[in-house]
Amino acid sequence: MRSSFEEVLTLQQSWTSENTEEMHRRGMLIRNEIPKVIRHHRNSRPGTDGDTEALEVAGSDGAGRKTIIPWVRIFSPARSPSATRGWYLVYLFGASGKSLYLSLIQGTAKWGNGSLVSRPADELSRRAEWARGVLAAEITDSPLVKQISLDTTAQLGRGYELGNVVAFRYARGHLPADDVLLRDLNFMERLLEILHGALDSALSIPGEPAPEVSDATIASRNIARARVDGPRFRLSAAERIAIERRAVQLASAHLISQGFAVRDVGATHSYDLDVTRSDSRLFVEVKGTTTDGAEIVLTAAEVELHKKEYPHNALIVVTNIALDSTSVPPVAIGGTLYMIRPWEVSEAALRPISYRYSLDQHDRGRPS
């Protein structure tokens, strides 16, 4: 393993985008020899019987033309289907050949408007800080570095640098022995496992949909595909109720302080609060979330009602609600309220999660 790494770092000094003899050799190491060694190590660890965590190993040195930053990554296919998505481990070889990093890293793209879009630099930074917080107990007093430098101004290399959470740095000519390299890899796999667990349970992850949005998407997908074994919800029914009640409580208090009479009609109507003052009446939608409230979930009935009642309507969103899930039932406290009045539902801001499709007699009678 050490000798292969050293050879790649040496070959980096002869980098060209053409498939020269040196670059051909680099490709063999990156795509074949190094992944093979890592797979053998993972499958032969004591006590695993070849049944280690479902991680795969793959290397890339460029599709067609040779990339300046070759890599070998260790990843969960379900959680990180490509190097631009999810969280994974990766060996990154610096452009100058001076350094090699074993990085716990995040993909730099996300789905938006039906396609992959690059995450902003500040979002990548916030996500990396969130992950370091999750791993704080494990990485304190470790030799891991938070910043990596791949010696290139290329956009791809900069993306890797921004996406790094923590990394081991190895210098050409001073790489440790194989047993140390493999020990470091075991440690990083443990960090990835901890991070995966946090991703499953966290209520707020920078750059990810709010739990309410995520759960609505999961529910819609499972219904559409008739699945009962799909991804699990991030919020339980009791947690959702606690958040909703806290939001309605704060919204009601806010409106009462402004001289409104407030009636909670959420159980029977397509809006939450019926609000009156003098001769005016408002139809108020209330949403609560443990996140910053960048997205909320609306039903078709809610959208239809608020379009109809505009401008005699309002939206109240209570953000950053704190949830104590250890209590029975869960307890929601805190929260920051903001109000939009009147609230004009913007078609441009609506994103369909699923559709209901009606099959007419012609469709159902069509022969197969």
Side-chain angles (χ1 to χ4, degrees):
M1 194 168 182
R2 175 186 178 181
S3 61
S4 295
F5 286 164
E6 286 280 11
E7 186 175 358
V8 172
L9 289 173
T10 299
L11 291 168
Q12 282 295 90
Q13 299 172 87
S14 303
W15 175 78
T16 172
S17 62
E18 303 298 326
N19 191 26
T20 61
E21 181 178 345
E22 291 86 356
M23 293 299 97
H24 176 75
R25 174 57 183 162
R26 190 190 73 164
M28 292 297 294
L29 289 162
I30 292 293
R31 287 181 275 107
N32 299 318
E33 296 184 21
I34 294 174
K36 182 178 179 181
V37 171
I38 295 173
R39 291 189 198 103
H40 175 75
H41 161 66
R42 299 195 76 256
N43 292 334
S44 62
R45 285 184 297 195
T48 63
D49 296 325
D51 187 25
T52 55
E53 185 184 356
L55 299 179
E56 294 187 3
V57 185
S60 174
D61 66 328
R65 300 180 72 83
K66 299 300 181 179
T67 183
I68 195 169
I69 306 293
W71 51 258
V72 177
R73 77 183 191 114
I74 301 96
F75 62 100
S76 162
R79 295 175 180 270
S80 179
S82 72
T84 58
R85 297 167 60 192
W87 307 73
Y88 55 93
L89 305 178
V90 63
Y91 287 101
L92 294 167
F93 296 82
S96 67
K98 294 179 181 178
S99 302
L100 162 67
Y101 294 92
L102 171 55
S103 169
L104 171 54
I105 205 168
Q106 59 181 303
T108 56
K110 62 181 176 180
W111 283 103
N113 297 329
S115 62
L116 278 175
V117 295
S118 297
R119 293 184 184 272
D122 64 328
E123 183 175 294
L124 292 171
S125 178
R126 287 187 287 111
R127 286 164 60 81
E129 283 300 321
W130 172 83
R132 292 181 196 121
V134 169
L135 302 171
E138 302 289 332
I139 64 177
T140 300
D141 300 326
S142 76
L144 295 167
V145 297
K146 296 180 182 179
Q147 305 295 326
I148 64 176
S149 176
L150 297 172
D151 301 325
T152 179
T153 58
Q155 183 178 358
L156 186 63
R158 181 58 178 157
Y160 293 142
E161 291 171 351
L162 291 172
N164 179 68
V165 177
V166 289
F168 283 107
R169 179 185 180 275
Y170 308 114
R172 186 180 77 237
H174 300 281
L175 268 68
D178 280 3
D179 61 334
V180 176
L181 291 170
L182 294 174
R183 184 187 66 199
D184 290 348
L185 177 57
N186 290 343
F187 177 70
M188 292 293 271
E189 287 189 16
R190 171 60 181 158
L191 295 187
L192 183 62
E193 181 182 357
I194 294 170
L195 186 58
H196 282 168
L199 291 166
D200 288 338
S201 60
L203 293 181
S204 179
I205 304 169
E208 297 298 329
E212 301 82 16
V213 177
S214 176
D215 287 352
T217 303
I218 290 170
S220 176
R221 184 184 300 125
N222 289 348
I223 290 171
R225 298 179 180 177
R227 292 184 61 181
V228 295
D229 61 344
R232 68 184 186 90
F233 297 125
R234 289 166 63 184
L235 293 172
S236 67
E239 290 170 335
R240 285 193 293 272
I241 290 171
I243 292 169
E244 179 183 346
R245 286 178 176 171
R246 177 59 178 170
V248 169
Q249 177 189 26
L250 290 185
S252 298
H254 174 73
L255 292 165
I256 290 171
S257 72
Q258 294 187 338
F260 286 100
V262 178
R263 187 162 61 97
D264 186 345
V265 296
T268 56
H269 293 67
S270 296
Y271 61 106
D272 294 297
L273 300 178
D274 198 310
V275 176
T276 56
R277 183 175 64 187
S278 301
D279 294 331
S280 64
R281 180 186 183 191
L282 287 178
F283 299 81
V284 181
E285 189 68 37
V286 181
K287 298 295 180 181
T289 178
T290 57
T291 68
D292 62 4
E295 290 184 311
I296 58 173
V297 177
L298 299 171
T299 67
E302 290 168 347
V303 170
E304 183 179 349
L305 179 135
H306 285 279
K307 284 183 176 181
K308 175 185 175 184
E309 299 300 341
Y310 176 84
H312 305 292
N313 70 332
L315 170 67
I316 292 179
V317 180
V318 181
T319 67
N320 299 306
I321 294 174
L323 187 64
D324 180 3
S325 298
T326 62
S327 299
V328 181
V331 174
I333 59 174
T336 301
L337 180 149
Y338 70 87
M339 181 174 178
I340 303 172
R341 174 192 175 198
W343 174 38
E344 184 175 10
V345 177
S346 168
E347 290 288 343
L350 291 173
R351 296 287 182 270
I353 292 177
S354 63
Y355 296 94
R356 187 171 70 183
Y357 183 76
S358 298
L359 294 169
D360 61 23
Q361 187 62 42
H362 175 72
D363 289 325
R364 287 182 280 123
R366 184 178 298 160
S368 59

